[in-house]
Amino acid sequence: MAHFDENAKPFSNKWLDERIGLNTLMRVLNTEYWIPKNINFLWAMGMVLAATFGILLVSGIFLLMYYKPDANLAFDSINYTIMSEVGYGWLWRHIHGVGASIVFLIIYIHMFTGIYYGSYKRGRELIWLSGMGLFVAFSAEAFSGYMLPWGQMSYWAGMVITELFAGGSLEAVGLVEWIRGDYVPGDAYLTRFFMLHVLLIPLVIIGLIVLHFGTLRLPHVNNQEGEEIDYEEAAKLYKEGNVKESKVIPFSPVFLSKDLFVMGVYFILFFYLVFYHFDFAMDPVNFDPADGLKTPAHIYPEWYFLWSYEILRPFSKDIGLIAFAFAQVVFFLLPFMDRSPNVAPAHKRGLFQIWFWVLLVDMIILTAMGKLPPTDPTFAFVGLVSAVLFLLMWPILIIITKFEKKIEKGA
Amino acid sequence: MQENEKGRRDFMGMALGACAAVGGVGALYAAKRSWDPLPSVAAAGFTEIDVSGAQPNVLNVEKWRGKPIFVLKKTEDMEKDERDVIVGKDRFLIAIGLCTHLGCIPAYKDGEHKFKCACHGGEFDASGHQIFGPPPSPLVIPPFKVNGTKLVLGEEGPEYKKMKDAGLIA
Ligand code: HEM
Ligand code: FES
């Protein structure tokens, strides 16, 4: 049997170490989890995301105490009870709404950081894939949450998005009705999306965050030069006291303090929005109760879905659906489409740098066009061109990275 | 001895695995059925509407199975169509008022005799045929039965069956 010291005080460091391997745990996850020095504030976005998820969870728990998942009661339980009766109910709602919107801004920054520095490449594929899993799970979480106030946008967004599952000419009406539990979104629909939003998807997200962190531990995070660091040597230097010469620092407490600084700045901005500009996250149309006999003049999704929505819109129904489905999954394939062996920032990778900025700008244009009504022919044309460009970017990526020159390391 | 033990362990694993597989399939089926529309939802299927008071070129929107139903009495000079539903001497467009693209409700522009969908710009004429934009097919005609000046929605009358056989309902 393992040895347990009779004299160790209960809950002392030694006592805990003998029982749950506290010191090993601290070493593996904190004091000897080495983080390169050569990274910038963009590497704090992961922890900013984790913290924002925490805030969404806490504010959501408070909303859950008064929300009523019932097609007749839901709208008032939020817009009347929570907003005007519950003490500080408005605060939880505004935190939750702003958090749900801002989390996507940070997710996109985090993703594009990964793309810019090639952090999805050899050794880090699983980080990327679990990250994309998180992106999909967050999208589902945001959509299901958007149903809950049961306003006009909830209802009609629900109608349009579930209709996608009919698969265009496949006319899988039965599947759509099965998902809704009704011919149209109704009570059964609301309560099942409530279940997804407050239990099933959050569980999946927590699992995926654990997996995402797990996939980071062995490859370690990338760095600004894409340098392959000899962690054993760097750690040895650090532990010997040659802190200056070593290329790494321990995650905790050294690196974490940098993360906390970025988080501090972020939360100042975040709460500024919560208190003074929460309205950007609250669509005015959703302050009308759901009405199945009246479509709002212009239906559009929240800003973070606009780029993919705009890929659906300009084409005929079937082609639009195929393009849309492609856009949803194509980022998963990035580690396998990028054929270049270089793990390096985009500005050292020639054509890839142009590709990166074109993709980013194209997605911003798609986002802007997605918000505009479909009636203006010039904007509809810009939308069509950007959508076609988005689709072409992927074969182009394969070609340009295939011919990308190998960068000699150490040069 | 060892061989024997291995055989017994494998057997335990396989027995449990087989039972779990059967249970798993059963649970999946139960899960699928739990998501099905409830019988009460599926049964609330018939609606009767009276069209005797309808005004020409004025769109009435009725409700059937939670969906909007367009009832448009055509004027004399509006084009005849095989999809017209004839009640008495009058010709009607009867259709589910959901755009066949992704299900928004198109708005009727009585000046142009057109339906315009605000979601992605689709358009339909007064007979429900798609004439512009992404909608791939005409507005869907719901099952109906003509009963004097009334229409029963949800029931397939002879006129509906004829249209269905001719492939006109959607
Ligand atoms: C939404 C919840 C997410 C959380 C909580 C999260 C958390 C983290 C954390 C803490 C890190 C390490 C620090 C850093 O490099 O920022 C990280 C790294 C990374 N994440 Fe995420 N992440 C999330 C979503 C995503 C998404 C959507 C992607 C893209 C598909 C992604 C891809 C990556 C990659 C490639 C790295 C490695 C960066 C590097 O090696 O430099 N993550 N993530
Ligand atoms: S839903 Fe009518 S055009 Fe798309």
Side-chain angles (χ1 to χ4, degrees):
Chain A
M1 200 179 82
H3 176 71
F4 294 99
D5 184 350
E6 304 162 19
N7 301 320
K9 284 214 177 63
F11 302 103
S12 66
N13 196 47
K14 182 152 197 222
W15 190 88
L16 284 171
D17 190 41
E18 283 175 349
R19 283 160 181 79
I20 55 167
L22 187 70
N23 292 343
T24 315
L25 211 61
M26 289 301 279
R27 212 166 47 237
V28 171
L29 298 181
N30 289 306
T31 54
E32 292 184 23
Y33 175 16
W34 304 104
I35 306 291
K37 285 180 183 168
N38 185 19
I39 60 181
N40 57 38
F41 77 98
L42 290 168
W43 271 265
M45 293 307 144
M47 289 309 279
V48 167
L49 281 171
T52 309
F53 178 67
I55 291 227
L56 284 165
L57 205 62
V58 172
S59 53
I61 286 172
F62 282 92
L63 292 172
L64 197 48
M65 291 192 280
Y66 289 95
Y67 176 74
K68 294 196 165 68
D70 178 310
N72 292 316
L73 305 175
F75 187 82
D76 282 341
S77 75
I78 293 184
N79 288 297
Y80 177 70
T81 311
I82 291 176
M83 287 305 285
S84 57
E85 279 202 297
V86 177
Y88 287 86
W90 56 270
L91 178 64
W92 306 124
R93 188 182 188 199
H94 290 165
I95 289 178
H96 208 70
V98 168
S101 192
I102 291 300
V103 83
F104 278 92
L105 178 66
I106 309 294
I107 286 180
Y108 284 129
I109 296 176
H110 188 63
M111 275 177 76
F112 275 88
T113 304
I115 300 178
Y116 191 89
Y117 291 102
S119 308
Y120 51 84
K121 300 179 64 135
R122 186 154 42 253
R124 297 196 178 86
E125 297 93 335
L126 287 177
I127 310 178
W128 180 261
L129 292 176
S130 58
M132 277 307 293
L134 278 165
F135 179 74
V136 171
F138 265 83
S139 300
E141 181 68 1
F143 175 75
S144 57
Y146 201 57
M147 297 299 107
L148 301 187
W150 210 236
Q152 273 292 66
M153 273 300 182
S154 307
Y155 184 91
W156 287 100
M159 189 80 148
V160 171
I161 298 298
T162 46
E163 195 69 32
L164 294 176
F165 288 88
S169 298
L170 298 179
E171 299 203 12
V173 182
L175 178 61
V176 174
E177 285 171 2
W178 181 74
I179 291 171
R180 293 177 184 160
D182 201 336
Y183 302 107
V184 290
D187 205 53
Y189 174 88
L190 179 60
T191 48
R192 69 184 52 174
F193 275 82
F194 172 71
M195 175 282 287
L196 291 174
H197 186 72
V198 305
L199 182 65
L200 189 55
I201 303 174
L203 280 181
V204 170
I205 288 177
I206 291 169
L208 282 170
I209 291 179
V210 172
L211 176 64
H212 195 56
F213 284 14
T215 57
L216 267 161
R217 184 60 186 83
L218 293 182
H220 291 85
V221 294
N222 196 4
N223 55 73
Q224 288 193 86
E225 302 302 324
E227 182 185 348
E228 242 179 74
I229 293 173
D230 181 341
Y231 279 92
E232 270 174 36
E233 182 196 296
K236 193 158 153 273
L237 276 175
Y238 190 93
K239 284 198 276 191
E240 283 166 1
N242 298 321
V243 172
K244 256 213 171 107
E245 289 76 35
S246 174
K247 289 181 174 167
V248 298
I249 50 176
F251 172 70
S252 168
V254 186
F255 180 69
L256 197 57
S257 67
K258 298 188 185 205
D259 266 350
L260 290 179
F261 174 76
V262 178
M263 260 189 239
V265 175
Y266 165 78
F267 277 121
I268 291 173
L269 177 77
F270 183 89
F271 283 103
Y272 167 75
L273 292 174
V274 167
F275 288 110
Y276 300 104
H277 268 296
F278 53 85
D279 43 321
F280 82 95
M282 306 266 142
D283 194 303
V285 181
N286 222 18
F287 287 92
D288 289 328
D291 182 351
L293 296 188
K294 198 168 125 248
T295 344
H298 174 37
I299 299 180
Y300 44 81
E302 289 290 277
W303 72 268
Y304 38 85
F305 295 142
L306 286 171
W307 68 269
S308 57
Y309 184 65
E310 186 58 20
I311 289 172
L312 174 76
R313 206 162 63 156
F315 300 107
S316 71
K317 187 167 171 172
D318 285 342
I319 298 179
L321 269 177
I322 293 168
F324 179 76
F326 176 80
Q328 299 309 305
V329 297
V330 70
F331 279 95
F332 275 100
L333 303 178
L334 185 60
F336 313 101
M337 286 189 158
D338 183 337
R339 313 308 289 261
S340 144
N342 298 321
V343 180
H347 62 259
K348 294 205 172 149
R349 294 181 54 193
L351 287 175
F352 180 81
Q353 184 182 15
I354 300 171
W355 184 88
F356 174 87
W357 289 110
V358 171
L359 181 72
L360 183 61
V361 171
D362 190 51
M363 285 176 68
I364 292 172
I365 295 175
L366 283 168
T367 302
M369 294 303 123
K371 182 80 188 201
L372 296 169
T375 36
D376 186 308
T378 335
F379 290 136
F381 181 71
V382 175
L384 175 66
V385 173
S386 334
V388 172
L389 179 62
F390 179 87
L391 300 176
L392 286 178
M393 288 304 275
W394 302 95
I396 291 175
L397 174 71
I398 297 177
I399 295 166
I400 64 172
T401 51
K402 218 175 167 113
F403 292 103
E404 190 175 306
K405 274 214 284 300
K406 188 162 167 54
I407 300 173
E408 294 307 327
K409 288 283 157 159
Chain B
M1 176 69 191
Q2 282 228 316
E3 273 303 299
N4 185 11
E5 229 170 62
K6 185 160 175 291
R8 275 153 58 192
R9 282 191 196 127
D10 284 352
F11 174 75
M12 287 309 291
M14 284 189 302
L16 180 66
C19 292
V22 172
V25 170
L28 269 182
Y29 179 73
K32 188 266 170 199
R33 289 281 289 108
S34 294
W35 276 59
D36 275 346
L38 300 177
S40 57
V41 168
F46 301 96
T47 307
E48 194 173 63
I49 54 177
D50 191 341
V51 296
S52 56
Q55 299 293 312
N57 200 28
V58 175
L59 181 72
N60 280 316
V61 182
E62 307 283 344
K63 194 169 173 179
W64 169 71
R65 293 187 180 173
K67 295 178 184 172
I69 300 295
F70 287 167
V71 179
L72 177 70
K73 182 164 155 182
K74 293 190 163 180
T75 58
E76 281 307 316
D77 50 334
M78 273 153 94
E79 221 174 296
K80 282 201 173 61
D81 193 274
E82 313 164 289
R83 291 163 42 96
D84 290 345
V85 175
I86 300 174
V87 183
K89 300 194 302 298
D90 300 317
R91 286 179 297 122
F92 284 87
L93 162 75
I94 307 287
I96 298 178
L98 297 175
C99 181
T100 50
H101 181 222
L102 289 174
C104 296
I105 303 181
Y108 187 58
K109 307 284 170 195
D110 52 6
E112 303 164 60
H113 298 175
K114 259 190 210 170
F115 293 92
K116 290 196 177 180
C117 180
C119 287
H120 317 97
E123 293 184 10
F124 301 86
D125 66 15
S127 305
H129 293 291
Q130 77 282 17
I131 48 176
F132 181 78
S137 51
L139 293 174
V140 178
I141 299 177
F144 67 89
K145 191 175 146 215
V146 184
N147 198 351
T149 61
K150 293 197 180 118
L151 285 171
V152 183
L153 298 178
E155 195 176 333
E156 302 196 356
E159 295 88 347
Y160 175 81
K161 284 198 181 124
K162 232 195 278 161
M163 283 188 191
K164 192 173 169 185
D165 292 339
L168 295 174
I169 55 165

